[in-house]
Coordinates of all heavy atoms in Angstrom, one line a residue:
M1186 N 12.7 -19.3 21.9 CA 12.5 -20.6 22.5 C 13.3 -20.7 23.9 O 14.4 -20.1 24.0 CB 13.1 -21.7 21.6 CG 12.9 -23.1 22.1 SD 13.5 -24.4 21.0 CE 12.2 -24.2 19.7
K1187 N 12.6 -21.3 24.8 CA 13.3 -21.4 26.1 C 14.0 -22.8 26.3 O 13.7 -23.8 25.7 CB 12.2 -21.4 27.2 CG 11.6 -20.0 27.3 CD 10.6 -20.0 28.5 CE 9.9 -18.6 28.6 NZ 8.9 -18.6 29.7
C1188 N 15.1 -22.7 27.1 CA 15.8 -23.9 27.4 C 14.9 -24.9 28.2 O 14.3 -24.6 29.2 CB 17.0 -23.5 28.3 SG 17.9 -24.9 28.9
P1189 N 14.8 -26.1 27.7 CA 13.9 -27.1 28.3 C 14.4 -27.5 29.7 O 13.6 -28.0 30.5 CB 14.0 -28.3 27.4 CG 14.5 -27.8 26.1 CD 15.4 -26.6 26.4
T1190 N 15.7 -27.3 30.0 CA 16.2 -27.7 31.3 C 16.0 -26.6 32.4 O 15.5 -26.9 33.5 CB 17.7 -27.9 31.2 OG1 17.9 -28.9 30.2 CG2 18.3 -28.4 32.5
C1191 N 16.3 -25.3 32.0 CA 16.2 -24.3 33.1 C 15.3 -23.2 32.7 O 15.2 -22.2 33.5 CB 17.6 -23.8 33.4 SG 18.3 -22.9 32.0
Q1192 N 14.7 -23.2 31.5 CA 13.7 -22.2 31.1 C 14.3 -20.9 30.7 O 13.6 -19.9 30.5 CB 12.6 -22.0 32.1 CG 11.9 -23.3 32.6 CD 11.4 -24.1 31.4 OE1 10.7 -23.6 30.5 NE2 11.7 -25.4 31.3
K1193 N 15.6 -20.8 30.7 CA 16.3 -19.5 30.2 C 16.2 -19.5 28.7 O 16.0 -20.5 28.0 CB 17.7 -19.5 30.7 CG 17.9 -19.3 32.2 CD 19.3 -19.3 32.6 CE 19.5 -19.2 34.1 NZ 20.9 -19.3 34.5
P1194 N 16.4 -18.3 28.1 CA 16.4 -18.2 26.7 C 17.5 -19.1 26.1 O 18.6 -19.1 26.6 CB 16.7 -16.7 26.4 CG 16.3 -16.0 27.7 CD 16.5 -17.0 28.8
S1195 N 17.2 -19.8 25.0 CA 18.2 -20.7 24.4 C 19.2 -19.9 23.6 O 19.0 -18.8 23.2 CB 17.5 -21.7 23.5 OG 16.9 -21.0 22.4
A1196 N 20.4 -20.6 23.5 CA 21.5 -20.0 22.7 C 21.6 -20.8 21.3 O 21.3 -22.0 21.3 CB 22.8 -20.2 23.5
K1197 N 21.9 -20.0 20.3 CA 21.9 -20.6 19.0 C 22.9 -21.8 18.9 O 22.6 -22.8 18.3 CB 22.4 -19.6 17.9 CG 21.3 -18.6 17.6 CD 21.7 -17.7 16.4 CE 20.6 -16.8 16.0 NZ 21.0 -15.9 14.9
N1198 N 24.0 -21.7 19.6 CA 25.0 -22.8 19.5 C 24.5 -24.1 20.2 O 25.0 -25.1 19.9 CB 26.3 -22.3 20.2 CG 27.0 -21.3 19.4 OD1 26.7 -21.1 18.2 ND2 28.0 -20.7 19.9
F1199 N 23.5 -23.9 21.1 CA 23.1 -25.1 21.8 C 21.6 -25.3 21.7 O 21.0 -26.1 22.4 CB 23.4 -24.9 23.3 CG 24.9 -24.6 23.6 CD1 25.3 -23.4 23.9 CD2 25.8 -25.6 23.4 CE1 26.6 -23.1 24.2 CE2 27.2 -25.4 23.6 CZ 27.6 -24.1 24.0
D1200 N 21.0 -24.7 20.7 CA 19.6 -24.8 20.5 C 19.0 -26.2 20.6 O 19.6 -27.1 20.0 CB 19.3 -24.3 19.1 CG 17.8 -24.2 18.8 OD1 17.1 -23.4 19.4 OD2 17.4 -25.1 18.0
P1201 N 18.0 -26.4 21.4 CA 17.1 -25.4 22.0 C 17.6 -25.1 23.5 O 16.9 -24.5 24.2 CB 15.8 -26.0 22.1 CG 16.1 -27.5 22.3 CD 17.4 -27.7 21.6
F1202 N 18.8 -25.5 23.8 CA 19.3 -25.3 25.2 C 20.0 -24.0 25.3 O 20.4 -23.4 24.3 CB 20.1 -26.5 25.6 CG 19.4 -27.8 25.5 CD1 19.6 -28.5 24.4 CD2 18.6 -28.2 26.5 CE1 19.0 -29.7 24.2 CE2 17.9 -29.4 26.3 CZ 18.1 -30.2 25.2
C1203 N 20.3 -23.6 26.6 CA 21.0 -22.3 26.8 C 22.5 -22.5 26.9 O 23.3 -21.6 26.8 CB 20.5 -21.6 28.0 SG 20.9 -22.5 29.6
S1204 N 22.9 -23.8 27.1 CA 24.3 -24.1 27.3 C 24.6 -25.5 27.1 O 23.7 -26.4 27.1 CB 24.8 -23.7 28.7 OG 24.1 -24.5 29.7
S1205 N 25.9 -25.9 27.0 CA 26.2 -27.3 26.8 C 25.8 -28.1 28.1 O 25.5 -29.3 28.1 CB 27.7 -27.5 26.5 OG 28.5 -26.9 27.5
T1206 N 25.9 -27.4 29.2 CA 25.6 -28.0 30.5 C 24.1 -28.5 30.5 O 23.8 -29.7 30.8 CB 25.8 -27.1 31.7 OG1 27.2 -26.7 31.7 CG2 25.5 -27.7 33.0
C1207 N 23.2 -27.6 30.1 CA 21.8 -27.9 30.1 C 21.5 -29.0 29.0 O 20.7 -29.9 29.2 CB 21.0 -26.7 29.8 SG 20.8 -25.7 31.3
K1208 N 22.2 -29.0 28.0 CA 22.1 -29.9 26.9 C 22.4 -31.3 27.4 O 21.7 -32.3 27.2 CB 22.9 -29.6 25.7 CG 22.7 -30.5 24.5 CD 23.5 -30.0 23.3 CE 23.3 -30.9 22.1 NZ 24.0 -30.4 20.9
N1209 N 23.5 -31.4 28.2 CA 24.0 -32.7 28.7 C 23.0 -33.2 29.8 O 22.7 -34.4 29.9 CB 25.4 -32.6 29.3 CG 26.4 -32.5 28.2 OD1 26.2 -32.9 27.1 ND2 27.5 -31.8 28.5
I1210 N 22.5 -32.2 30.6 CA 21.6 -32.6 31.7 C 20.3 -33.2 31.0 O 19.8 -34.3 31.5 CB 21.2 -31.4 32.5 CG1 22.4 -31.0 33.4 CG2 20.0 -31.7 33.4 CD1 22.2 -29.7 34.1
D1211 N 19.8 -32.6 30.0 CA 18.6 -33.1 29.4 C 18.9 -34.4 28.7 O 18.0 -35.3 28.8 CB 18.2 -32.1 28.3 CG 16.9 -32.5 27.6 OD1 15.8 -32.2 28.2 OD2 17.0 -33.1 26.6
L1212 N 20.0 -34.6 28.1 CA 20.3 -35.8 27.4 C 20.5 -36.9 28.4 O 20.0 -38.1 28.2 CB 21.6 -35.7 26.6 CG 21.9 -36.8 25.6 CD1 20.8 -36.8 24.6 CD2 23.2 -36.5 24.9
L1213 N 21.1 -36.6 29.6 CA 21.2 -37.7 30.6 C 19.9 -38.1 31.2 O 19.6 -39.3 31.4 CB 22.1 -37.1 31.8 CG 23.6 -37.1 31.5 CD1 24.3 -36.3 32.6 CD2 24.2 -38.5 31.4
R1214 N 19.0 -37.1 31.3 CA 17.6 -37.5 31.8 C 16.9 -38.4 30.8 O 16.3 -39.3 31.2 CB 16.8 -36.2 32.0 CG 17.2 -35.4 33.2 CD 16.3 -34.1 33.2 NE 16.6 -33.3 34.4 CZ 16.1 -32.1 34.5 NH1 15.4 -31.5 33.6 NH2 16.4 -31.4 35.6
W1215 N 17.1 -38.0 29.5 CA 16.4 -38.8 28.5 C 17.0 -40.2 28.4 O 16.2 -41.1 28.3 CB 16.6 -38.0 27.2 CG 15.9 -38.6 26.0 CD1 14.6 -38.4 25.7 CD2 16.4 -39.6 25.1 NE1 14.3 -39.2 24.6 CE2 15.4 -39.9 24.2 CE3 17.7 -40.2 24.9 CZ2 15.5 -40.8 23.1 CZ3 17.8 -41.1 23.8 CH2 16.8 -41.4 23.0
L1216 N 18.3 -40.3 28.6 CA 18.9 -41.6 28.5 C 18.5 -42.5 29.7 O 18.4 -43.7 29.5 CB 20.4 -41.5 28.5 CG 21.0 -40.9 27.2 CD1 22.5 -40.6 27.4 CD2 20.8 -41.9 26.0
K1217 N 18.2 -41.9 30.8 CA 17.8 -42.6 32.0 C 16.3 -43.1 31.8 O 15.9 -43.9 32.5 CB 17.9 -41.8 33.2 CG 19.3 -41.6 33.7 CD 19.5 -40.5 34.7 CE 18.7 -40.9 36.0 NZ 18.9 -39.9 37.1
G1218 N 15.6 -42.5 30.8 CA 14.3 -43.0 30.5 C 13.2 -42.4 31.4 O 12.0 -42.8 31.3
D1219 N 13.5 -41.3 32.2 CA 12.5 -40.7 33.0 C 12.1 -39.3 32.6 O 11.6 -38.5 33.3 CB 13.0 -40.7 34.5 CG 14.2 -39.9 34.7 OD1 14.7 -39.3 33.7 OD2 14.7 -39.8 35.8
Y1220 N 12.4 -39.1 31.3 CA 12.2 -37.7 30.8 C 11.9 -37.8 29.3 O 12.6 -38.4 28.6 CB 13.4 -36.8 31.1 CG 13.2 -35.4 30.6 CD1 12.5 -34.5 31.3 CD2 13.8 -35.0 29.4 CE1 12.3 -33.2 30.9 CE2 13.7 -33.7 29.0 CZ 12.9 -32.8 29.7 OH 12.8 -31.5 29.3
R1221 N 10.9 -37.0 28.9 CA 10.5 -37.0 27.5 C 10.5 -35.5 27.0 O 9.9 -34.7 27.7 CB 9.2 -37.6 27.2 CG 9.3 -39.1 27.2 CD 8.0 -39.8 26.8 NE 8.1 -41.2 26.8 CZ 8.4 -41.9 25.7 NH1 8.6 -41.2 24.6 NH2 8.5 -43.2 25.7
I1222 N 11.1 -35.2 25.9 CA 11.1 -33.8 25.4 C 9.7 -33.5 24.8 O 9.3 -34.2 23.9 CB 12.2 -33.6 24.4 CG1 13.5 -34.0 24.9 CG2 12.1 -32.2 23.9 CD1 14.6 -34.0 23.9
P1223 N 9.0 -32.6 25.4 CA 7.6 -32.3 25.0 C 7.4 -32.1 23.5 O 6.5 -32.6 22.9 CB 7.2 -31.1 25.8 CG 8.1 -31.1 27.0 CD 9.4 -31.7 26.5
Q1224 N 8.3 -31.3 22.9 CA 8.1 -30.9 21.5 C 8.8 -31.8 20.5 O 8.7 -31.6 19.4 CB 8.6 -29.4 21.3 CG 10.1 -29.3 21.5 CD 10.4 -28.8 22.9 OE1 9.9 -29.4 23.9 NE2 11.3 -27.9 23.1
A1225 N 9.4 -32.9 21.0 CA 10.1 -33.8 20.1 C 9.2 -35.0 19.8 O 9.6 -36.1 19.9 CB 11.4 -34.3 20.8
E1226 N 8.0 -34.7 19.2 CA 7.1 -35.7 18.9 C 7.5 -36.5 17.7 O 7.0 -37.6 17.4 CB 5.7 -35.2 18.7 CG 5.1 -34.5 19.9 CD 3.8 -33.9 19.7 OE1 3.3 -34.0 18.5 OE2 3.2 -33.3 20.6
D1227 N 8.4 -36.0 16.9 CA 8.9 -36.6 15.7 C 10.0 -37.6 16.0 O 10.5 -38.2 15.1 CB 9.2 -35.6 14.6 CG 10.3 -34.7 15.1 OD1 10.4 -34.5 16.3 OD2 11.0 -34.1 14.2
V1228 N 10.5 -37.6 17.2 CA 11.6 -38.5 17.5 C 11.1 -40.0 17.6 O 10.2 -40.3 18.2 CB 12.3 -38.1 18.9 CG1 13.3 -39.1 19.3 CG2 12.9 -36.7 18.8
S1229 N 11.8 -40.8 16.9 CA 11.4 -42.2 16.9 C 11.5 -42.8 18.3 O 12.5 -42.6 19.0 CB 12.3 -43.0 15.9 OG 12.0 -44.3 15.9
E1230 N 10.6 -43.6 18.6 CA 10.6 -44.3 19.9 C 11.6 -45.3 20.1 O 12.1 -45.6 21.1 CB 9.2 -44.9 20.2 CG 8.1 -43.8 20.3 CD 7.4 -43.9 21.6 OE1 7.5 -44.9 22.3 OE2 6.7 -42.9 21.9
D1231 N 12.0 -45.9 18.9 CA 13.0 -47.0 19.0 C 14.4 -46.4 18.6 O 15.2 -47.1 18.0 CB 12.6 -48.1 18.0 CG 12.3 -47.7 16.6 OD1 12.6 -46.5 16.4 OD2 11.9 -48.5 15.8
L1232 N 14.6 -45.2 19.0 CA 15.9 -44.6 18.7 C 17.0 -45.4 19.4 O 16.8 -45.7 20.6 CB 15.9 -43.1 19.3 CG 17.1 -42.3 19.0 CD1 17.2 -42.0 17.5 CD2 17.1 -41.0 19.8
N1233 N 18.0 -45.6 18.7 CA 19.1 -46.5 19.3 C 19.8 -45.7 20.3 O 20.5 -44.7 20.1 CB 20.0 -46.9 18.2 CG 21.0 -48.0 18.6 OD1 21.6 -47.9 19.7 ND2 21.2 -49.0 17.8
R1234 N 19.7 -46.2 21.6 CA 20.4 -45.4 22.7 C 21.9 -45.6 22.7 O 22.6 -44.7 23.1 CB 19.8 -45.9 24.0 CG 18.3 -45.7 24.2 CD 17.9 -45.9 25.6 NE 16.5 -45.4 25.7 CZ 15.9 -45.2 26.9 NH1 16.5 -45.5 28.0 NH2 14.6 -44.8 26.9
E1235 N 22.4 -46.7 22.2 CA 23.8 -46.8 22.1 C 24.5 -45.8 21.2 O 25.5 -45.3 21.5 CB 24.2 -48.2 21.7 CG 23.8 -49.3 22.7 CD 24.3 -50.7 22.3 OE1 25.0 -50.8 21.3 OE2 24.0 -51.6 23.0
E1236 N 23.8 -45.4 20.2 CA 24.3 -44.4 19.3 C 24.2 -43.1 19.9 O 25.1 -42.2 19.7 CB 23.4 -44.4 18.0 CG 23.7 -45.6 17.1 CD 22.9 -45.5 15.8 OE1 22.2 -44.5 15.6 OE2 23.1 -46.4 14.9
S1237 N 23.2 -42.8 20.7 CA 23.1 -41.5 21.4 C 24.2 -41.3 22.4 O 24.7 -40.2 22.6 CB 21.8 -41.5 22.1 OG 20.7 -41.5 21.2
I1238 N 24.6 -42.4 23.1 CA 25.7 -42.3 24.1 C 27.0 -41.9 23.5 O 27.8 -41.2 24.1 CB 25.8 -43.7 24.8 CG1 24.6 -44.0 25.6 CG2 27.1 -43.7 25.7 CD1 24.5 -45.4 26.2
E1239 N 27.2 -42.1 22.2 CA 28.4 -41.8 21.6 C 28.6 -40.3 21.5 O 29.7 -39.8 21.3 CB 28.4 -42.3 20.1 CG 28.6 -43.9 20.1 CD 28.6 -44.4 18.7 OE1 28.5 -43.6 17.8 OE2 28.8 -45.6 18.6
I1240 N 27.5 -39.5 21.7 CA 27.6 -38.0 21.7 C 28.6 -37.6 22.8 O 29.3 -36.6 22.7 CB 26.2 -37.4 21.9 CG1 25.4 -37.8 20.8 CG2 26.3 -35.9 22.1 CD1 23.9 -37.4 20.9
F1241 N 28.7 -38.3 23.9 CA 29.5 -37.9 25.0 C 31.0 -38.1 24.7 O 31.9 -37.6 25.4 CB 29.2 -38.7 26.3 CG 27.8 -38.3 26.8 CD1 26.8 -39.2 26.7 CD2 27.6 -37.1 27.4 CE1 25.5 -38.9 27.1 CE2 26.3 -36.8 27.9 CZ 25.3 -37.7 27.7
D1242 N 31.4 -38.9 23.8 CA 32.8 -39.2 23.5 C 33.5 -38.0 22.9 O 32.9 -37.2 22.3 CB 32.9 -40.3 22.5 CG 32.4 -41.6 23.1 OD1 32.5 -41.7 24.3 OD2 32.0 -42.5 22.4
Ligands
ZN2578 ZN1 19.5 -24.0 30.4

């Protein structure tokens, strides 16, 4: 699987991303609402964003 952010091979620790940096970049894009993960069709549309933000703590 490729990293959705930079298309490099993903790392197990950060699957499907290659690093924590790319994971955070992707998450920030998603939180801003201008990005959708193509293969995450099973993610609920009404996912609570406030809960997601807690990941950064
Ligand atoms: Zn990456």
Side-chain angles (χ1 to χ4, degrees):
M1186 182 176 288
K1187 292 182 179 179
C1188 172
T1190 303
C1191 68
Q1192 308 304 314
K1193 291 179 182 177
S1195 63
K1197 282 186 177 181
N1198 288 349
F1199 305 107
D1200 184 68
F1202 305 96
C1203 70
S1204 65
S1205 60
T1206 301
C1207 282
K1208 186 175 182 179
N1209 286 335
I1210 290 172
D1211 183 85
L1212 194 59
L1213 284 170
R1214 286 177 178 172
W1215 185 83
L1216 288 172
K1217 285 168 64 178
D1219 59 3
Y1220 180 79
R1221 283 182 178 270
I1222 303 170
Q1224 64 268 46
E1226 295 178 4
D1227 59 336
V1228 174
S1229 176
E1230 297 238 340
D1231 56 5
L1232 186 68
N1233 191 316
R1234 296 193 173 192
E1235 291 186 5
E1236 286 183 359
S1237 298
I1238 292 172
E1239 288 180 357
I1240 296 171
F1241 292 108
D1242 291 337

